[in-house]
Structures are given as structure tokens and as C-alpha cells.
Amino acid sequence: MPTTRKPARTCAPKLNRNLSCPSPDEFASSTPSAPPTTAGEPLQYPSVSLIPPIRHIPLPKQLPVDTRVSFEATLLVYSIVALFLQYINIYRSVWWLPHGPSHTLLHFHLIDWSLLVFLAIILSWRLFVVAIRCKSSKLSHWLLTSIKVTAVFVVSTIFLWSLATLCNRYSTLNLLFLFYPVAIYLLIFGITVQPIVAEFSSVSPVEHRNRSCCSLSADTIRAEANLLLLDFYSRLKKIVFSSLFSAYYIGFIPMCFVDSDLVQNTLGSLQLILVVWVNSLVLLADSWLSRPYLDYLHRYALHLGRWTRLPMSVVRLAELQTWSEGSVWSHGMLVRYEPTETAYRATGVAHTTATPANPHHATYYKLFKQPRRIVLVLAVIQSIVTISLLTALYQSYQWNHIVSLTLLLAANYYILYRLLRDCFFLEKFYVL
């Protein structure tokens, strides 16, 4: 007579992440019973009473999280410094020569100040919008509204003046370069302002939905995971576009509006464009994929779980229970997925509600089972940029290259420190 195996041990995280979850008895109503034996040998899978509740511990308040104003201010300072470095690369002079053409650090007489004002307003529009949306309890509503209206009027007037000046000085082709990102925006997002509205809304689109990760409904968990994955992809598109937007106006536009008689250091300027793009990408990703946001996605990854496909030689499909949409499956259970007539084992941390053979659910689980991986990828990218800048600084001999690389390295050290700090913290916090 064949022996009976012991029930498979469920895997629960050492640290779990939600304050209120249903009890195991509540899960019993939505979890199927153990399937019959397979391959001629009786198997007993975890009973419903063994499905552990997932209790999520919130992120500690000691983890620093930038406010929207502080992040936009940091991004603006970095952008202005990078723009200044690009102007150094383009308009540098041999000021140390006693009989040289210029005795100043730069050829200031060749700089188009209207273009510089235009670029400064373009780069600061994010912080300006955030500041306009801020509310203050210390000022009266009438006074605060008057200040905001005056600020919008002054900035708009200066912007229109600089644009009109550029229109009178340059050709149509140069002016098309100024608004080329608009065409890229329409190509990526279409004719809509929803991405901009969502970016500067006071409440994230994720927060508009139900924040309870512990729904008893498997359908609800799958639907919410699909929405969160779409929101994640949408954020990635906005991060890539915003970083390209910054690098384009910081590095490329100053090169397009240079006098043809001026000899440019093209290699150094292109190097700065690449560094600015990567730094802006990492900064935006660090803000838009914040630790609380990744923790929220991680919670749903635990509830979603995953399925591992089994070879047909191991199981008998006729003896397995059929997967059903409304069931919550415990760790280690075997099911038959009818659309593909294949067998799967539930290999989630505690339980599984995902759809077998669904690539989106599998991708969601791989991305957010361990949120530290995303931060680690950003840290690796930043480390590569930092090492490249150190190598370039070692090989540099021109004064403008040394100044540019030194200031860029200082910014890269700060970004890398933040990412490594969060990596070490999340490694201790998420023990799976």
C-alpha cells in the first residue's frame, strides 16, 4: 500500500507587509480542496487551514522620502548646473594668455541671453507648476491667489519675450528644434494632456483605487495587479520622456544655436548630453518609483503569486483539479489549466491567485517580488556612469573638461549614495 507524503510546507516571508488581512478561515471559503493522487502515488497538498495570512508591515518612517517640492528643486539645481557646464564647453576661452582674444572665462559676447532665458524657463516649469499648486495656511486665500496670478503673468511675459526674440534672430529650422520634443510627446502619448495632469496631481492614480491588498476575491487581486502593471509602464514612459526632454534642452539646443564661426568641442558636449540623460533618468526613476510605491506593488505581488509549469511526464492531467478563476490556491498545489491542457504548481510565497500561462502576471511577480532589484538596477547604472566619469577625468587635460567632470562627479556621488543607502535598507527589510 503506497505511503502518504507529508503536507508540503508553506513559504511565508519573514517580514510581511499589511496591517489587516483575512484569517485563514476566511481563505478556506475560496480555496479548493486537495487534488487526488498523481502518477500512481497519493499526494496530499496543503490544506486550506495552512494558507498563511499575509500581514504587511509598513515601511518605517525613518526611510527618507523626498517631497515633491524638494525633488523638483533638486532636479532644477542639477539641470541649471549642467546647462552652465554645457555653456562652458561651448564658449570656453583661453583667458590665461596675455594677448589672447578674450580675458574672461567665457566668450560672453557670443552668448544669446534670450536663448538662455528661454532654456531656464523650460527647465524650471516643473518646479513652477508644483509651486503654483502649493497651498499655505499662513496666507489668506486672496493674497495667495494674487501672488500666484502675478507670478504666472511675469513668467509668461518673460517667456513670450524670449521666444519672440528668438523668432526674429533665427531661421525656421532653428525654431523647429525648439519644439521638437512636442512632436515626440505626441508620438509617445498621443493628443492628450492626461500624463501631465497625472504627473502634477496631488494624489497618485494608484491612490484613487482601493488600497486594501487583502481582498478575498481572486478576480479583484488579478484586476488590480493588471492596473498596477499598466501604471508602472506608464511611469516608465514618462520617466524616459522627461529625461530625454531635460537632456535635449540642456545639451542639444545650446549646440544648435551656436555661431558657425565658433569652434565647438563636439565630443565633450555629446559626452555631457549622455551623462545628463542618464542622471536625469535615474533621478526621475528614484522619485517616480519611490520606495512606498514599490512596496505597494510588492504587496500585490505576494497576493498574486505565480505558477510553475510542470512537464507532462510527471503528472496525469485527468487526476488534477481544474484551475478556476475564483479560487485562491495554496503554495505547492497542482492544477490543470484547461485552455492549454497543461499542469502547473503554485509557487507563490503564501498563496496564488494569478492566471496560469498569463505572461503579464508572471512579469508582475518577477518585477515586484523583490523591490530591491529595481533600486539595484538604478544603482548599477549610476555606478557605471560614475566610473566612466572618473576615467574621463583621469585622462582630461583641458580646464573646461576638468571643471565639468568634477561637478558632474559630485552630483553622481550624491545620487549613488542615495541609491546604495536604499539598497542596503531594502535588503534588510524584504527578507523573502
Side-chain angles (χ1 to χ4, degrees):
M1 182 175 181
T3 58
T4 303
R5 291 185 181 179
K6 295 181 180 180
R9 184 173 62 90
T10 57
C11 296
K14 296 180 181 179
L15 287 176
N16 297 316
R17 310 282 186 273
N18 203 359
L19 295 178
S20 60
C21 278
S23 63
D25 295 335
E26 292 175 295
F27 276 112
S29 61
S30 59
T31 308
S33 58
T37 61
T38 62
E41 185 177 10
L43 293 174
Q44 292 183 2
Y45 304 108
S47 63
V48 294
S49 60
L50 292 179
I51 301 179
I54 300 180
R55 302 185 181 277
H56 304 285
I57 299 175
L59 288 172
K61 297 181 178 179
Q62 289 79 3
L63 181 64
V65 178
D66 290 339
T67 63
R68 191 58 189 274
V69 175
S70 63
F71 165 72
E72 296 297 346
T74 302
L75 184 62
L76 177 60
V77 170
Y78 174 82
S79 300
I80 295 299
V81 171
L83 181 63
F84 171 70
L85 296 179
Q86 185 69 315
Y87 269 78
I88 287 181
N89 287 329
I90 296 174
Y91 297 101
R92 68 195 183 283
S93 66
V94 286
W95 47 271
W96 61 88
L97 296 179
H99 302 289
S102 177
H103 297 287
T104 57
L105 189 66
L106 304 176
H107 295 291
F108 289 103
H109 62 284
L110 297 177
I111 296 178
D112 189 339
W113 297 99
S114 60
L115 176 64
L116 189 60
V117 171
F118 177 87
L119 294 177
I121 295 178
I122 287 291
L123 296 175
S124 61
W125 78 275
R126 296 169 60 95
L127 179 61
F128 182 74
V129 172
V130 172
I132 290 296
R133 294 180 61 88
C134 288
K135 299 179 181 179
S136 176
S137 58
K138 299 180 179 180
L139 300 177
S140 63
H141 176 73
W142 180 86
L143 180 59
L144 185 61
T145 303
S146 301
I147 294 175
K148 291 181 178 180
V149 171
T150 304
V152 170
F153 175 77
V154 172
V155 172
S156 301
T157 303
I158 297 175
F159 179 78
L160 292 176
W161 167 81
S162 62
L163 183 60
T165 305
L166 293 175
C167 291
N168 293 330
R169 292 182 180 177
Y170 297 99
S171 64
T172 305
L173 181 61
N174 291 95
L175 298 178
L176 289 178
F177 281 131
L178 290 178
F179 300 100
Y180 182 72
V182 177
I184 301 299
Y185 175 89
L186 296 177
L187 182 64
I188 296 177
F189 300 104
I191 305 176
T192 177
V193 295
Q194 192 276 334
I196 299 177
V197 174
E199 182 174 358
F200 293 100
S201 62
S202 57
V203 180
S204 171
V206 172
E207 297 176 353
H208 284 293
R209 300 193 294 274
N210 183 15
R211 295 304 299 265
S212 176
C213 296
C214 297
S215 172
L216 293 177
S217 173
D219 294 331
T220 302
I221 295 175
R222 286 193 295 270
E224 188 70 10
N226 291 333
L227 291 175
L228 290 175
L229 189 60
L230 291 177
D231 180 78
F232 176 75
Y233 289 153
S234 176
R235 291 182 182 229
L236 287 183
K237 288 198 301 183
K238 287 185 281 190
I239 288 170
V240 172
F241 173 77
S242 298
S243 60
L244 289 174
F245 180 90
S246 298
Y248 181 83
Y249 282 107
I250 291 173
F252 184 72
I253 288 297
M255 295 175 62
C256 294
F257 287 79
V258 173
D259 194 316
S260 58
D261 296 333
L262 185 66
V263 179
Q264 295 190 53
N265 182 9
T266 306
L267 181 61
S269 299
L270 293 178
Q271 182 186 52
L272 186 137
I273 292 176
L274 181 61
V275 173
V276 169
W277 174 63
V278 176
N279 287 164
S280 301
L281 182 73
V282 173
L283 279 172
L284 290 164
D286 187 52
S287 175
W288 272 82
L289 306 179
S290 62
R291 310 306 162 254
Y293 176 75
L294 292 178
D295 180 70
Y296 183 55
L297 300 182
H298 166 72
R299 296 182 182 190
Y300 265 97
L302 296 183
H303 287 272
L304 188 66
R306 69 174 176 181
W307 294 98
T308 301
R309 185 173 180 176
L310 300 177
M312 300 301 298
S313 59
V314 177
V315 295
R316 297 177 183 175
L317 290 178
E319 298 177 353
L320 299 182
Q321 277 199 348
T322 303
W323 177 84
S324 59
E325 294 183 352
S327 299
V328 178
W329 304 86
S330 60
H331 177 85
M333 298 195 73
L334 302 181
V335 298
R336 180 178 73 254
Y337 187 53
E338 286 188 341
T340 58
E341 288 299 327
T342 50
Y344 290 87
R345 180 188 295 274
T347 54
V349 173
H351 57 262
T352 300
T353 60
T355 303
N358 188 316
H360 301 293
H361 292 172
T363 300
Y364 186 94
Y365 188 83
K366 290 179 182 178
L367 285 174
F368 307 119
K369 176 191 175 183
Q370 184 52 269
R372 185 178 69 93
R373 294 174 183 173
I374 297 178
V375 184
L376 184 60
V377 169
L378 296 177
V380 170
I381 295 174
Q382 192 63 36
S383 300
I384 294 174
V385 175
T386 303
I387 295 174
S388 301
L389 288 176
L390 283 172
T391 305
L393 179 61
Y394 177 78
Q395 298 175 349
S396 298
Y397 59 90
Q398 297 181 358
W399 72 269
N400 56 299
H401 286 173
I402 295 175
V403 172
S404 299
L405 294 174
T406 302
L407 292 179
L408 287 175
L409 272 172
N412 278 265
Y413 288 147
Y414 169 74
I415 301 172
L416 185 60
Y417 159 74
R418 288 169 54 94
L419 293 173
L420 292 178
R421 177 199 64 192
D422 291 351
C423 278
F424 291 139
F425 171 81
L426 295 178
E427 183 180 9
K428 301 298 182 181
F429 187 73
Y430 294 106
V431 183
L432 295 179

